[in-house]
Amino acid sequence: MATIHWQEIVAQKRKEQAASIPKDWILPNLPSKDTLNVIDFPEKCGLLTAKEIEITNTEVDVILKKLANGIWSSVEVTTAFSKRAIIAHQLVNCLTEIFIDRALARAAELDKHLKTTGKVVGPLHGLPISLKDQVNIKGIDSTMGYVTWASKPAAENAVLANILEACGAVLYVKTNVPQTLMWGETFNHIFGRTTNPYNRSLTPGGSSGGEGALIALKGSPIGVGSDLGGSVRIPAAFNGLYGLRGSYGRVPYAGCVNSLEGQDSIPSVLGPLTNSIGAIKAFLKSVLSQKPWLHDPLVVRKPWNEDEYKLADHGNGTQLCFAIMWDDGHTVPHPPVRRGLEATKQALLAAGHRVIDWTPLAHAEAFQVAGTIFGAGAREDFRVTTAPSGEPIITTMDLSVDTPGVSPLPPDAEPFFSPPPDGLSAYELWQAQRRKRDYRQAYLDHWNATVEVTGTGRPVDAIISPCAAFTARPHGSSKNPGYTVVWNVLDYASLVIPTGLSVDPVLDVPKPAHDFLTGPDKVNYEIYAPADFKYAPIAIQVTGRTLEEEAVIAMGEIVDAALKNNLKTCN
Amino acid sequence: MATIHWQEIVAQKRKEQAASIPKDWILPNLPSKDTLNVIDFPEKCGLLTAKEIEITNTEVDVILKKLANGIWSSVEVTTAFSKRAIIAHQLVNCLTEIFIDRALARAAELDKHLKTTGKVVGPLHGLPISLKDQVNIKGIDSTMGYVTWASKPAAENAVLANILEACGAVLYVKTNVPQTLMWGETFNHIFGRTTNPYNRSLTPGGSSGGEGALIALKGSPIGVGSDLGGSVRIPAAFNGLYGLRGSYGRVPYAGCVNSLEGQDSIPSVLGPLTNSIGAIKAFLKSVLSQKPWLHDPLVVRKPWNEDEYKLADHGNGTQLCFAIMWDDGHTVPHPPVRRGLEATKQALLAAGHRVIDWTPLAHAEAFQVAGTIFGAGAREDFRVTTAPSGEPIITTMDLSVDTPGVSPLPPDAEPFFSPPPDGLSAYELWQAQRRKRDYRQAYLDHWNATVEVTGTGRPVDAIISPCAAFTARPHGSSKNPGYTVVWNVLDYASLVIPTGLSVDPVLDVPKPAHDFLTGPDKVNYEIYAPADFKYAPIAIQVTGRTLEEEAVIAMGEIVDAALKNNLKTCN
């Protein structure tokens, strides 16, 4: 039997992807490769009608109302987002699987249903939703960037795909990821590299980088990403979006493909990325309305709790006490990240809330524990998955690997994730998991102790922190996800909110050197040159306790409104 | 530095335990060693007053009311249960740590509080509660049967101990366990063997065997056990008690000592053993009233749900459909276990419910997966824990090890738990955990599919099954916990209910040999001789879905009432 070389599989898969793009939507007038910021291009390129621009620029809450009232048809809305998604793809290479015909057929059925019965199918009736490549859809590949998995269409829908369809959503595209998923950037041998629409010399983040880039360009109203160490939140932050990492088992994961299968100590979770906070709420509330615990055994039996959303556990939200973590004790964030936190503080104080400083507790321990747990069997997992195709395991996100072929890890590299070659024993893994448990206990006690300093009679209501020590970075340089992975280790509900600000070389000048907290802190300080980060959005994280998604969304709405109000006042 | 031999540590610890027993309660008239059934002895021995007998024979719900109304004082109630516990200990060797002075001082404080304020401290005001040796109490050892851990008093209370005290409970004794906890019997080098009060030639089960024996003798109204593979439910069943294995993280475990620390894929859970189903509800509702998720990071943020208790998800309980699992496809239960299931079926039909047969789904897979996960690092865990003292790792529960010293594993033994000597790699462990996840998915789908056959419009409401393929067994012979561990793997809420029946050599004659399902099935069939199991209680399990504790308790009340009603009718 002749073996097909992995590059031939890639070529075939790319040909199939090209063929799945509607011919009429292929643009002759793409901006040159040197054009960094392409965020406004979709509206200027001439492919979208005025109505399609209106639809794709509308917030999800409003789209859903117009769909439910029959003012906009699902075919119209699906067509608009599909076109804009294809434009986005030509700009930043964000898609993997494209199945617009199927989506339009489904949209037409939904329109017919509404017309015939006068009723919506569910709370997301007619809304297109994009999915990270991991989420299985029957008959469609989930390569997850692995050549091995090419041309192996899924036998069944993932539970979440079924639930979204039961809610009335229209599935139409899947989005790009890095090979192994264990990177904060987005590149693999099959689909290549996704870039950041605000500045294409920057990464959109990862591993849900395809979603991040697509939604920033408004090629999707809501996308589903996954987050093991920041993979929803990093691309949300890098692309100026809202993104929710819910607690373990709040959103059904069953039936998705994944990396590190069987690692269930710090599980990956699925979560939405969107352009409005209302869409985060609509997504979670809709998913929970379908009782996902009846379909995925790992989902927590906890319906949407309206009392918690009304902040019953937080004094009904009248005066909250937020704590801002200016740095994590390991790496001081770049000036624009600091500016985002300052703007948030000012906005919250103006809105009448209390703001105190958050003292980070041993975040290096969280990062080490996560690396040990994820790394315990990772190399073997990667080997087993790549062996059948012979594709190389990617060891750097440098631009040098843009054409297939893999550079060795440069000697001075600080890799995003570097698991031990021989893995760990199960007993050693247990010891790391024990450390994790002890860390969670210590952090809980630490949080509870803030009741003494908030002045509200309650401990801190939510923590506001950077999403990373940097905004979107040049390709190949995305490092330590310490600011996100800590909440995965602790299983805290965490929501990324864009501040409405972006990197401005005039405002965000380098600061004088500080006493460096660590070696990586020094490196992070030294690489900051404002011009390299131009246009990158600035975001923050709002973090609550485990299984407190409803309250975190409500507090996120308060933060979001305060930021918007303040921006208005300042302008 | 001279090394103290582990047997000297044992001798010292035993001396301390003997000294902790109030002298006046040491009985001169203990039954002879040949007296098998000692269940009635406490009331006949002359130590208890009539009122103490009345108190200790009263159901928890009633005791709590009398305590709250000041009709009985906590000192009275604590004294009564303490005396009866010390009697029980002299009969079946069920206690480890005994701290009655401390308990009586606490009871006096509670009495004073009620007198002064007119208010109870909490929902368990004044009630003594016994704890499995694992649950830390500040200043008291938690040896867990390990010589290594002798004379190392706990620095802090476990979260559950704090919560029970916040509820007003009085802690007074801790109870015996097997070394490593990985046995369905109760024996260790320090405290020796616990026996079954219904028949002392039988095991009380394990690993919460001390609790089982103590509560059967009414030396405690509620005891806390732990359950990794059946360790609450086996002793509950073997001693004719109610016992709840709640879902992972429903009851706080933080601050307890444990075996296999860091194994968090199939976590052990804490749960109550009691003499009445009302006490199960009182315990869980009380614990949840204290918002344990604010104190233990692994506790699910889910308060007591009264709607679920009212069976909102089960047609409000008007007509339920139970499914009976007559055997698990691996081992056919002994005749008395079958008789218990038949009595339950008859009782439920008489109460107007539907009863169908449950088809077990690949239970051998559950048992193998659990063994692989628990075994992955177990030997190293045992080695590390026993090495400092040099105590031998116990390899059999045979009577031959009653005097310190350890028999080698007999060549024909089928050990309860036999982990691989060199453990597994983390990657291999992940593969077992992946199998577990797939099994949980398959079982959920299997359960959902019963909607087609119940006739209620819902899938089966609860599964009724044996607690083991046997009732309490002669010491050293307790085997395969397949009937309990399957629900740990699936994380289903499971409640043991005594049928009110016990082994009767006249009724429970051996059946003709059947076509054996497996080798162990044949062995199990052949060892059954009714005379050996005389007086052993017969119990069943009522099992619901993950995090459905409220509904399982409510359905348990229905089963319990039906059984009691039927017994009454038959007598």
Side-chain angles (χ1 to χ4, degrees):
Chain A
M1 202 174 74
T3 310
I4 301 171
H5 193 268
W6 66 270
Q7 286 173 319
E8 292 175 46
I9 300 172
V10 166
Q12 176 62 23
K13 188 76 197 158
R14 288 182 180 184
K15 218 157 82 182
E16 287 165 17
Q17 192 204 44
S20 70
I21 297 174
K23 296 287 160 294
D24 296 347
W25 300 349
I26 294 175
L27 295 168
N29 58 340
L30 285 172
S32 78
K33 276 210 155 187
D34 304 336
T35 307
L36 297 180
N37 190 332
V38 296
I39 201 77
D40 294 331
F41 183 80
E43 295 184 27
K44 292 180 185 158
C45 68
L47 183 63
L48 299 174
T49 65
K51 188 167 188 188
E52 285 163 351
I53 292 173
E54 184 197 350
I55 289 171
T56 50
N57 285 349
T58 300
E59 285 199 2
V60 164
D61 286 348
V62 178
I63 299 178
L64 286 171
K65 270 181 210 147
K66 296 204 175 194
L67 281 164
N69 295 334
I71 296 169
W72 289 343
S73 73
S74 179
V75 166
E76 277 179 312
V77 173
T78 302
T79 303
F81 279 106
S82 295
K83 283 171 84 172
R84 198 153 174 167
I86 296 299
I87 297 168
H89 182 61
Q90 295 172 77
L91 294 170
V92 293
N93 192 42
C94 51
L95 304 181
T96 57
E97 307 295 327
I98 299 163
F99 38 99
I100 291 165
D101 286 353
R102 179 172 163 158
L104 288 171
R106 154 89 173 154
E109 274 171 37
L110 289 166
D111 289 337
K112 195 174 155 196
H113 177 93
L114 181 65
K115 212 166 172 178
T116 317
T117 67
K119 285 181 188 157
V120 295
V121 160
L124 302 173
H125 186 97
L127 188 76
I129 291 187
S130 53
L131 303 175
K132 189 173 184 176
D133 201 58
Q134 288 177 268
V135 184
N136 275 346
I137 300 178
K138 189 175 172 176
I140 292 171
D141 273 7
S142 297
T143 64
M144 217 180 78
Y146 278 126
V147 180
T148 300
W149 294 349
S151 304
K152 294 187 172 66
E156 283 182 82
N157 274 3
V159 168
L160 184 62
N162 278 335
I163 280 181
L164 292 175
E165 290 197 332
C167 289
V170 178
L171 309 177
Y172 67 121
V173 289
K174 299 217 291 179
T175 57
N176 207 19
V177 299
Q179 188 204 46
T180 78
L181 303 184
M182 300 302 285
W183 296 92
E185 308 201 13
T186 298
F187 170 76
N188 62 68
H189 295 310
I190 302 176
F191 299 107
R193 183 184 307 275
T194 304
T195 58
N196 191 311
Y198 285 95
N199 180 337
R200 294 193 292 178
S201 73
L202 305 178
T203 175
S207 63
S208 314
E211 282 300 337
L214 172 66
I215 297 166
L217 285 162
K218 299 186 179 161
S220 167
I222 301 182
V224 175
S226 68
D227 194 313
L228 177 67
S231 285
V232 160
R233 289 164 292 154
I234 295 169
F238 284 12
N239 295 284
L241 306 175
Y242 301 82
L244 177 69
R245 189 215 89 89
S247 306
Y248 307 154
R250 199 79 206 267
V251 173
Y253 211 113
C256 293
V257 295
N258 205 351
S259 207
L260 316 185
E261 288 272 23
Q263 185 288 104
D264 60 13
S265 184
I266 304 177
S268 171
V269 303
L270 297 182
L273 297 89
T274 77
N275 277 302
S276 68
I277 195 158
I280 298 278
K281 181 183 169 192
F283 176 87
L284 187 62
K285 210 172 158 179
S286 299
V287 169
L288 296 178
S289 74
Q290 303 298 308
K291 302 189 175 182
W293 51 87
L294 295 180
H295 307 286
D296 177 343
L298 302 185
V299 171
V300 178
R301 189 184 188 87
K302 183 175 194 269
W304 174 267
N305 187 320
E306 192 68 19
D307 284 344
E308 293 191 20
Y309 174 68
K310 288 181 178 154
L311 296 174
D313 296 329
H314 299 271
N316 303 314
T318 45
Q319 192 189 39
L320 298 170
C321 179
F322 294 93
I324 296 193
M325 182 165 80
W326 300 99
D327 70 64
D328 67 354
H330 183 271
T331 310
V332 173
H334 286 168
V337 176
R338 171 98 195 178
R339 186 161 61 89
L341 295 173
E342 283 164 356
T344 308
K345 178 174 180 174
Q346 194 186 337
L348 287 169
L349 289 173
H353 298 288
R354 300 179 75 96
V355 181
I356 64 174
D357 290 345
W358 183 257
T359 309
L361 180 72
H363 284 216
E365 170 72 0
F367 187 61
Q368 281 163 21
V369 160
T372 306
I373 291 173
F374 298 154
R379 290 253 190 236
E380 186 69 8
D381 182 86
F382 302 162
R383 266 195 295 266
V384 166
T385 309
T386 53
S389 68
E391 70 197 291
I393 298 171
I394 294 174
T395 58
T396 168
M397 288 278 137
D398 277 358
L399 288 169
S400 54
V401 291
D402 243 357
T403 41
V406 178
S407 305
L409 202 58
D412 61 341
E414 183 200 355
F416 190 78
F417 175 64
S418 180
D422 299 324
L424 299 185
S425 73
Y427 180 78
E428 289 167 330
L429 173 59
W430 285 359
Q431 304 323 300
Q433 293 177 171
R434 190 175 176 170
R435 278 170 62 194
K436 182 199 65 168
R437 183 201 61 190
D438 293 345
Y439 183 72
R440 290 185 66 177
Q441 185 70 55
Y443 220 101
L444 181 60
D445 296 344
H446 180 65
W447 190 324
N448 288 342
T450 62
V451 70
E452 302 297 335
V453 293
T454 54
T456 60
R458 301 183 303 276
V460 158
D461 293 296
I463 301 167
I464 289 176
S465 61
C467 304
F470 34 82
T471 53
R473 291 177 74 148
H475 296 292
S477 72
S478 200
K479 307 275 177 179
N480 186 334
Y483 281 93
T484 46
V485 78
V486 64
W487 309 137
N488 297 81
V489 170
L490 293 166
D491 195 25
Y492 289 167
S494 191
L495 178 64
V496 168
I497 294 182
T499 60
L501 308 170
S502 55
V503 176
D504 179 335
V506 175
L507 291 173
D508 297 317
V509 292
K511 306 216 165 164
H514 55 279
D515 284 340
F516 296 119
L517 302 173
T518 58
D521 184 30
K522 183 165 183 281
V523 173
N524 190 59
Y525 173 81
E526 286 168 352
I527 59 109
Y528 182 66
D532 293 348
F533 296 84
K534 210 162 47 175
Y535 313 129
I538 301 172
I540 55 156
Q541 278 185 99
V542 178
T543 299
R545 301 185 185 224
T546 308
L547 286 172
E548 226 191 2
E549 285 71 33
E550 292 89 334
V552 166
I553 290 172
M555 291 190 281
E557 288 170 355
I558 287 168
V559 174
D560 189 51
L563 277 165
K564 283 181 171 146
N565 200 46
N566 229 39
L567 270 187
K568 221 181 292 168
T569 317
C570 300
N571 290 348
Chain B
M1 201 175 73
T3 310
I4 301 171
H5 193 268
W6 67 269
Q7 285 173 318
E8 292 174 46
I9 300 172
V10 166
Q12 176 61 25
K13 187 77 195 157
R14 288 182 180 185
K15 219 159 81 184
E16 287 165 17
Q17 192 203 45
S20 70
I21 298 175
K23 296 288 160 292
D24 296 346
W25 300 350
I26 295 174
L27 295 168
N29 59 340
L30 286 171
S32 78
K33 277 209 153 186
D34 304 336
T35 308
L36 297 181
N37 189 333
V38 296
I39 202 77
D40 295 330
F41 183 78
E43 296 184 28
K44 291 179 184 158
C45 68
L47 183 64
L48 299 173
T49 65
K51 189 167 186 188
E52 284 162 353
I53 291 173
E54 184 198 350
I55 289 171
T56 50
N57 283 350
T58 300
E59 284 198 3
V60 164
D61 286 347
V62 178
I63 299 178
L64 286 171
K65 271 183 207 146
K66 296 202 176 197
L67 280 165
N69 295 335
I71 297 169
W72 290 343
S73 73
S74 178
V75 167
E76 277 179 313
V77 173
T78 302
T79 302
F81 279 106
S82 295
K83 283 170 83 173
R84 198 154 175 165
I86 296 299
I87 298 168
H89 183 61
Q90 295 172 77
L91 294 169
V92 295
N93 191 41
C94 50
L95 304 181
T96 57
E97 307 295 326
I98 300 164
F99 38 101
I100 290 166
D101 286 353
R102 178 172 164 156
L104 288 172
R106 154 89 174 154
E109 274 171 36
L110 290 166
D111 288 337
K112 196 174 153 195
H113 176 94
L114 181 64
K115 214 168 170 176
T116 317
T117 67
K119 284 181 188 159
V120 294
V121 160
L124 301 174
H125 186 97
L127 189 75
I129 291 187
S130 54
L131 302 175
K132 189 174 185 177
D133 201 57
Q134 289 178 267
V135 184
N136 276 345
I137 301 178
K138 189 176 173 176
I140 292 171
D141 273 8
S142 297
T143 63
M144 216 180 79
Y146 278 126
V147 180
T148 301
W149 295 349
S151 304
K152 296 188 173 67
E156 285 184 78
N157 274 2
V159 168
L160 184 62
N162 279 335
I163 280 181
L164 292 174
E165 290 197 332
C167 289
V170 177
L171 310 177
Y172 66 120
V173 289
K174 300 216 290 179
T175 57
N176 206 20
V177 300
Q179 188 204 45
T180 78
L181 303 183
M182 300 302 285
W183 296 90
E185 308 201 12
T186 298
F187 170 75
N188 62 68
H189 295 311
I190 302 176
F191 299 107
R193 182 183 306 276
T194 304
T195 59
N196 191 310
Y198 284 96
N199 179 337
R200 295 194 290 179
S201 72
L202 305 178
T203 176
S207 63
S208 314
E211 283 300 336
L214 172 66
I215 299 167
L217 285 161
K218 299 185 178 160
S220 168
I222 301 181
V224 176
S226 69
D227 195 313
L228 176 69
S231 285
V232 160
R233 290 164 292 154
I234 295 169
F238 284 12
N239 295 284
L241 305 175
Y242 301 81
L244 177 69
R245 188 214 90 90
S247 306
Y248 307 153
R250 200 78 207 267
V251 173
Y253 211 114
C256 293
V257 296
N258 204 351
S259 206
L260 316 185
E261 289 272 24
Q263 185 287 106
D264 61 13
S265 183
I266 304 176
S268 172
V269 301
L270 297 182
L273 296 91
T274 77
N275 276 301
S276 68
I277 195 159
I280 298 279
K281 182 184 168 192
F283 175 87
L284 187 63
K285 212 174 155 176
S286 298
V287 169
L288 296 178
S289 74
Q290 303 299 308
K291 303 190 175 181
W293 50 88
L294 295 180
H295 306 286
D296 177 342
L298 302 185
V299 171
V300 179
R301 188 184 187 88
K302 182 174 193 269
W304 175 267
N305 187 320
E306 193 67 20
D307 284 345
E308 293 191 22
Y309 174 69
K310 287 182 176 153
L311 296 174
D313 296 329
H314 300 273
N316 303 313
T318 45
Q319 193 189 38
L320 298 170
C321 180
F322 294 93
I324 297 193
M325 182 167 78
W326 300 99
D327 70 64
D328 66 356
H330 182 271
T331 309
V332 172
H334 286 167
V337 176
R338 172 98 195 176
R339 186 161 62 89
L341 294 173
E342 283 165 354
T344 308
K345 177 173 181 175
Q346 193 186 337
L348 287 169
L349 290 173
H353 298 288
R354 301 179 75 95
V355 181
I356 64 174
D357 290 345
W358 183 258
T359 309
L361 180 73
H363 284 216
E365 170 72 0
F367 187 61
Q368 281 164 21
V369 160
T372 306
I373 291 173
F374 298 154
R379 291 253 190 236
E380 186 67 8
D381 181 86
F382 302 162
R383 268 194 295 265
V384 166
T385 309
T386 53
S389 68
E391 70 198 291
I393 298 171
I394 294 173
T395 57
T396 168
M397 288 277 137
D398 276 359
L399 288 170
S400 55
V401 290
D402 246 355
T403 41
V406 178
S407 303
L409 204 59
D412 61 340
E414 182 201 353
F416 190 78
F417 175 64
S418 181
D422 299 322
L424 299 184
S425 73
Y427 180 78
E428 288 167 329
L429 173 60
W430 285 359
Q431 303 322 302
Q433 293 177 171
R434 190 175 177 172
R435 278 170 62 194
K436 182 199 67 167
R437 182 200 62 190
D438 293 345
Y439 183 72
R440 290 186 66 177
Q441 185 71 54
Y443 221 102
L444 181 62
D445 296 343
H446 181 66
W447 190 324
N448 288 343
T450 62
V451 71
E452 302 297 336
V453 294
T454 55
T456 60
R458 302 183 303 275
V460 158
D461 293 295
I463 301 167
I464 289 175
S465 62
C467 304
F470 34 81
T471 53
R473 290 178 74 148
H475 296 291
S477 72
S478 200
K479 308 274 176 179
N480 185 335
Y483 281 93
T484 46
V485 79
V486 64
W487 308 137
N488 297 81
V489 170
L490 293 166
D491 195 26
Y492 289 168
S494 190
L495 177 65
V496 168
I497 293 181
T499 61
L501 308 170
S502 56
V503 176
D504 180 334
V506 176
L507 291 172
D508 297 316
V509 292
K511 307 215 163 163
H514 56 278
D515 284 340
F516 296 118
L517 303 172
T518 58
D521 184 31
K522 181 164 184 283
V523 173
N524 189 59
Y525 173 81
E526 287 168 353
I527 58 109
Y528 181 67
D532 294 347
F533 297 83
K534 210 162 50 174
Y535 313 128
I538 301 171
I540 55 158
Q541 277 184 100
V542 178
T543 299
R545 300 184 186 224
T546 308
L547 287 172
E548 227 192 2
E549 285 71 31
E550 291 89 335
V552 166
I553 290 172
M555 292 190 279
E557 288 169 354
I558 288 168
V559 173
D560 189 51
L563 277 165
K564 283 181 172 145
N565 201 45
N566 229 40
L567 270 187
K568 222 181 291 169
T569 319
C570 299
N571 290 343

